Amino acid sequence: MAIKRSAAVAFALGALMALPALAQDKPKELVVGIATFLSGPASVFGVPGKNAADLFFEELNAKGGILGVPVKPVYVDEGAGTNQLISEYRRVVQDQGAQVMFGAISSGSCNALAPVAEDLKVVNVMWDCGTQTIFEEGKWKYSVRTQGHAGAEMMATLLYLMKTKPDFKTIAVVNQDYAWGRESWALFQAGLKALKPDVKIVAELFPKFGAPDFSTEITRLSALRPDVVLSTSWGGDLDTFVQQAAARGLLKQSTFVLPLAESSMERLGAVMPEGVIVGGRGDHYFLHPKHKNSAEMQSFVKKYRDKTNVYPIYPTFHMNQAVTGLAKAYEKAGAANGGKWPTKEQVIAAFEGLEFKSLTGTITIRSDHQGLEDQLLGTTKRVPEYPFAVYDKMALYPGKLVTTPVGEKSLEWFAKTKLDLVNDKSIETFDYSK
Amino acid sequence: MPPEMLFLAALDGLAYGSLLFLVAVGLSLIFGVLGVLNVAHGSFYAIGAYVAASAVLAAAGMGLPTWLAFPLFLISAILVGVVVGGTVEALLLRRIYGKEEVLQLLVTFAVFMILEDAQKVVFGTQPLFANAPMNWLGTIEVFGIYYTNYQLILIPLVALAVLVGLRLFLRRTSFGRAIVAVTQDREAAMAMGINATRIYLFTFMIGASLAALGGALSSATTSLTPGIGSGMIVLSFAVAATAGLGRIEGAAVAALMIGLGRSAAVYFAPEFDVLIPYLIMVVVLLIKPEGLFTTLQTRKV
Amino acid sequence: MARQYLIGAALLIALIVFPVVSPWSTVILTVALCEGLAALGILVLLRAGQVSFGHGLFFAFSAYVVAFMAAASFGHEVLLLVPIATAASGLVAALVGLFIVRYRAIFFGMLNLAISMVFFSLLEKLFSVTGGADGKRVPRPTLAGMTLERETFEFWMFYITLALAVTAALGVARYLLSPGGKALEAIKSNETRLEYLGVSSRKVLYGAYLLSGLLAGLGGAIIALVSGHVTPELAYWVRSGEFVFIAILGGVGGVAGPFLGALMFQIIRGYAAVHAPETWHAVLGVMLLVIIFFAPSGLYGLIAGRKRKSAPKETAPKETAP
């Protein structure tokens, strides 16, 4: 009896000891679960993100996958609601055996998924969400972000506005009524008060997310005649707002600042006038002044257009950063591990300090798992080559310059912004060229 | 607040309310005749918008003149009402009249879920808009502020035409009278030789076409994205319930109330603009449960 | 009667065993039980012929109570959070019920919808308090004073929820057989006769409404704990519609119905999410149509249906033409 029991214990111990060894064997395939919007209004980002992911994983697998292991993407619909998303996320990890998750687009989803990833001990690449508070207010061992955050985006936007239109006196804001709209305005406002304390904020409007009509807001703005109108809206909301504002002459009356307009430019076509300040949540743009003629960019734009008939927008570049970053982290971790398949913890460790090339620049992952990404802003111009507006008078802000330093909170950092940042030497400028 | 701002706010509310009326009156009509609260009504609105926008874009692609958009709106609306609405009524709803209310409601809920995805499959997920008709009609200046003629004049005019047209149709034409007769007493109407099945089908098609017309008209002013239908349905519930289900003139007044209330909120309490329709609905239902404009009438029990 | 217990027992055994066989399913099963609880609340009202398209209100209310309490320093304990949050949504039901029991049929449904949409809009709008559309995180509380790791927590939460669900189901079954429950059916078949018998139909419906609010609240409290996040979407009308969907899918003939329905709903949604991630709404919609047209008494009716003819009194009220 006693012998039997000790044999059983030995067997159990052996099984336990065998486990970590097994985990380091190369799996047959690497399952990557991707949370993205496949339904609802945010599918304007989610579906391009998925299309791009399909392309990038296909390319990656054609080159032998990650460390010789083919990668299989599995998609989860973020549009199903947070609670459903969380259970789907778990299912993909626990049932389908995903070792890596990409989650997600919405900051709300990222906030909800970060603790889940911690619980499940799964590598979680925040591939598109922007809220700066994630790594400023929490520490997440298993999560990493392969792009900049809202702070960097808003700082660059503010600096660009200060440079191109230094003497505006009044500003109004029309943002979507949810975390992104509220938080981005809070940041922008904090920085604005530091750089230009005498500016008057004449209206703060937060129409419902997905509102089909902005007539009343536009009437108010037309009556108030602010020098600058800021809107961090995106997707259908931004298209509708710009369309209705353009039809009623508001775009001529005020300078519009639209930090997410890159993703709407092709759709807006002739509606978008010249002279609007635009951005695209990072340094990516298919006509990036430094990279538009690179072989990788040309091939990506062509493949993406063949597949979808439209030009790639920023979520596709964010997806590229997530996929590339993941492959590089695995390679780095594999090399450190003597060529053997790394554990999840080794992959996460490899992300810290990782530097990799994206389609439009270089991304660095900081020790707090936040990515450093350059920011490209421009002013719209109409050119004969494209049936829609393009960037002109571009400025490229280095990620390091505009991202809140490690350990500081963005809101506080914004409040102590200095004017000399506006004309910092590290900012590169470009004009539109064919 | 200068007094002319109040007037301007009212103008915005008018345009918004008119659009709301078009959608809600269809819902109300269907309920009045069929006794079914159609959850899929928002989907007809969305599909109407998508079909109209696609038609306008296709016409522009062929180099046809912009004014053609207006007949296209009408054609798309009728097409959607007849094809999609007709199919839903003939294939599904017809089989559950006389069953429990909850089952009728759920059938339309299922149709709503199916149509939501069908839109995505057919029209894609990228925002779609066709604003040429709005720009073609130009702008008008009121107190130094530009309004589009499309929103300020055309949409309210269409709403007015629908209101007057429906009234005349229901009171003056024999088919319209037959509809009213079926609403009031189905058995008696059938005994008099009225074909109730046909009445139901046509009423549903008309109701669905009105929702689609609302969608078609909105396609020139707003971007179409997945999910526009589910927001619209609750709003048109609010209008129809506030007015009293089945009340056509009431729907016009209720839609206007909600439109004006909402735009007033943007000026005085921007935090509460989304609450306005539901608050109005709750208050009205609490005070007058059958809606503002319902006189006591005998409904079949 | 025996058959009803048999189905319940079979379902229970399956539920007890399943998480042991397949650990990843515990959370999904717990979620299903929560939705089943809310659908059970819908079932109670359906017995009176009333349908609420707004029970998301109670579901979301208690979920947010849990979220606020768990975030604050007090009440960081499951055994405290669940009863308090459930009671809180019971309180809301008691308040809303005061005037809602005066309405019947479509007005009953509409008013429920309107009130839940007011609450939904408030949750979205009051960003600084509720976190807006992104919702609030719910930190994992202690369970009976113990701080647990995720897996153990989920494991125990499942069995606690299962025990609560069984208690709730048995309680509702008793209630439905009691004079109050019988009076409920009378509201559906002939309310005037009930009043002539000297029974206040409003009082009867008020009791049922309170009960259904408590059930939805219980489900909401637990779902907040196991998913660790609450969003306004819990109060959205589509969510309320899903509860009715689940109740009909499972069948309103017996108290096991809503749980059968909730399980089926999760299974279909799970499969649809894997095989048709872009059209899972449509899959559910088709499923609903199939049930309504071919099995109007739901899954429960399908299983229990055959033997019903011999004991018609125990079965669900037959579909009667209005």
Side-chain angles (χ1 to χ4, degrees), chain B:
Chain B
M1 169 89 38
E4 69 261 25
M5 286 313 288
L6 267 180
F7 177 69
L8 295 175
L11 289 184
D12 291 315
L14 178 70
Y16 184 74
S18 302
L19 203 61
L20 213 50
F21 164 72
L22 283 175
V23 184
V25 76
L27 182 82
S28 210
L29 184 70
I30 291 174
F31 183 82
V33 177
L34 283 74
V36 172
L37 193 63
N38 178 25
V39 179
H41 206 66
S43 307
F44 297 141
Y45 163 82
I47 295 174
Y50 270 111
V51 170
S54 310
V56 168
L57 290 176
M62 286 186 279
L64 297 170
T66 309
W67 60 263
L68 259 180
F70 301 103
L72 277 177
F73 283 167
L74 206 58
I75 295 168
S76 321
I78 294 171
L79 199 72
V80 171
V82 170
V83 176
V84 187
T87 314
V88 169
E89 202 278 341
L91 280 187
L92 301 172
L93 290 182
R94 190 168 291 174
R95 304 175 54 173
I96 49 151
Y97 296 133
K99 288 214 178 160
E100 281 181 83
E101 234 161 36
V102 53
L103 292 185
Q104 299 178 344
L105 209 63
L106 276 179
V107 166
T108 60
F109 186 64
V111 172
F112 160 76
M113 290 173 105
I114 295 169
L115 289 181
E116 280 296 285
D117 278 352
Q119 281 162 51
K120 274 194 304 184
V121 173
V122 177
F123 300 103
T125 53
Q126 290 301 301
L128 187 69
F129 70 85
N131 60 353
M134 175 172 76
N135 293 339
W136 188 75
L137 281 179
T139 53
I140 180 171
E141 205 185 317
V142 184
F143 290 119
I145 291 180
Y146 289 102
Y147 282 88
T148 61
N149 287 323
Y150 187 90
Q151 282 174 297
L152 198 62
I153 297 168
L154 180 80
I155 294 183
L157 274 184
V158 172
L160 194 65
V162 165
L163 177 62
V164 174
L166 265 182
R167 249 187 103 106
L168 289 178
F169 169 72
L170 289 177
R171 299 203 176 159
R172 299 285 162 81
T173 64
S174 60
F175 195 79
R177 286 193 186 132
I179 290 182
V180 176
V182 171
T183 320
Q184 279 162 358
D185 192 334
R186 187 179 176 177
E187 271 96 55
M190 280 167 74
M192 289 169 72
I194 293 175
N195 181 347
T197 313
R198 211 166 63 109
I199 297 281
Y200 278 24
L201 176 65
F202 278 95
T203 307
F204 198 79
M205 285 180 178
I206 294 172
S209 297
L210 286 172
L213 182 64
L217 284 171
S218 73
S219 73
T221 65
T222 186
S223 273
L224 311 179
T225 50
I228 49 168
S230 78
M232 199 46 156
I233 184 63
V234 198
L235 277 178
S236 50
F237 275 175
V239 171
T242 305
L245 282 157
R247 313 306 297 181
I248 288 165
E249 294 85 354
V253 178
L256 212 57
M257 262 170 65
I258 287 179
L260 293 177
R262 208 196 66 114
S263 59
V266 173
Y267 283 90
F268 301 110
E271 293 301 311
F272 291 100
D273 65 332
V274 286
L275 275 181
I276 294 292
Y278 310 121
L279 280 180
I280 291 181
M281 177 176 169
V282 170
V283 170
V284 167
L285 284 182
L286 284 182
I287 299 168
K288 213 162 172 301
E290 288 81 28
L292 281 179
F293 301 94
T294 309
T295 45
L296 249 153
Q297 66 177 74
T298 47
R299 272 200 64 84
K300 45 187 177 171
V301 183

Side-chain angles (χ1 to χ4, degrees), chain C residues 217-234:
Chain C
L218 178 60
I222 298 172
I223 216 167
L225 290 173
V226 290
S227 57
H229 202 90
V230 294
T231 56
E233 181 260 344
L234 293 170

Side-chain angles (χ1 to χ4, degrees), chain A residues 38-39 50 77 80-84 86-88 90-91 94-95 108 111-112 115 119-120 140 177-179 182 206 208, chain C residues 24 27-28 124-125 127 133-134 137 140 150 154 223 226-227 229 231 233-234 239 266 269-270 273-274 277-278 280-281:
Chain A
L38 300 174
S39 62
K50 175 182 184 293
D77 183 11
T82 310
N83 294 83
Q84 183 64 18
I86 292 173
S87 49
E88 283 295 304
R90 285 173 195 277
R91 187 185 53 71
Q94 297 181 308
D95 186 35
N111 268 320
D119 270 347
L120 298 170
W140 305 107
D177 190 16
Y178 77 112
R182 299 274 180 172
F206 291 92
K208 184 179 151 49
Chain C
W24 65 266
V27 173
I28 292 179
E124 281 216 318
K125 204 70 202 183
F127 178 75
D134 284 348
R137 191 180 290 162
R140 185 179 307 139
R150 173 186 64 83
E154 285 170 359
I223 216 167
V226 290
S227 57
H229 202 90
T231 56
E233 181 260 344
L234 293 170
R239 173 68 77 145
Q266 282 296 336
R269 183 144 78 172
V274 176
E278 280 158 83
W280 58 270
H281 295 100

Side-chain angles (χ1 to χ4, degrees), chain C residues 35-36 39 241-251 257-259 261-263 265:
Chain C
E35 289 177 340
E242 278 172 9
F243 296 149
V244 184
F245 181 154
I246 289 170
I248 297 294
L249 178 69
F259 297 101
L263 280 176
F265 188 81

